[in-house]
Amino acid sequence: MKVTVVCEYNESMSSPEGVAAYPEGLGVCLKEMFGSFGYETTLITYDDKRHAEELTEEVLKNTDVLVWWGHWYHKHIPDAVAEMVADQVNKGMGFIVLHSGHHSKPFRRLMGTSCNLIWRENEENERIWVVNPAHPIAKGMFPYVDIEHEETYGESFEIPEPDELVFISWFRGGEVIRSGCVWNRGRGKVFYLRCGHETDPTYHNEKVREILHNAADYVKPVMRIDAYAPDHRPEAPEGKF
Ligand code: ZN
């Protein structure tokens, strides 16, 4: 299986907290994680100068699961790239969106809503409650996964009703948010996982890594198509009988 990780670099990753959380870099951590699951994984990095130019249609067509982490520089991704990602999801590609990627162009394009939420950077405890223990992404996570230090997000999270709700997170400050959601789009599946602030070592947490392994396996293509079905039928099928 081929995984492409698109990960932003921003200056907070070079702060003492950012370097302590991911000495290797957040993007490299994600690449190595999906590689350790046995997937052929490629990393594409963008920032205030780079615009993920390497993410071409050809690359997307050869990607089974696209993973997206972004925060400061969502606007540096061209609209055409968001359109290409949405097109490939509709044709069967799996898409995993992480943390502040809730505001990324491809995710908003696929959701059709603002995807706004409330947030506080306070390094408090997140408890990820499993609300669907039978869901394949939640395998091994029941009843909850604790993350000691994370950024707080909260409802209202302006997303369309998830087709499958897997996790709801609670935070020490009292906020709750739908933190593990699946949507079907065309032939493809989209999974959003909330946790993963760039100055917290969340993606080194074994349980979070297991969730992402389960998720990649769950959203991988079932039926990939090259073209959409035609939107008209020149001849009625009855005419052939
Ligand atoms: Zn964050």
Side-chain angles (χ1 to χ4, degrees), residues 61 88 91 224-228:
K61 281 181 175 172
Q88 288 304 318
K91 288 173 176 168
R224 196 76 181 258
I225 54 172
D226 290 328
Y228 299 114

Side-chain angles (χ1 to χ4, degrees), residues 5 26-36 39 41-43:
V5 173
L26 176 55
V28 172
C29 170
L30 292 172
K31 177 182 188 276
E32 288 177 350
M33 181 198 318
F34 286 96
S36 76
Y39 306 143
T41 308
T42 308
L43 171 65

Side-chain angles (χ1 to χ4, degrees), residues 69-71 99-100 119-121 150-153 194-200:
W69 194 103
H71 185 193
H99 188 60
S100 39
W119 56 276
R120 293 187 289 139
E121 261 188 72
E150 253 295 350
E151 182 179 12
T152 292
Y153 280 8
R194 189 220 76 89
C195 59
H197 187 60
E198 65 263 48
T199 56
D200 297 311

Side-chain angles (χ1 to χ4, degrees), residues 3 23 41 62 67 111 114 131 159-160 181-183 196 201 212 220-221 232-233:
V3 171
T41 308
N62 284 302
V67 178
M111 295 298 109
S114 75
V131 293
I159 44 172
C181 311
V182 175
W183 296 266
L212 288 170
K220 70 181 182 221
H232 76 291
R233 194 185 291 276

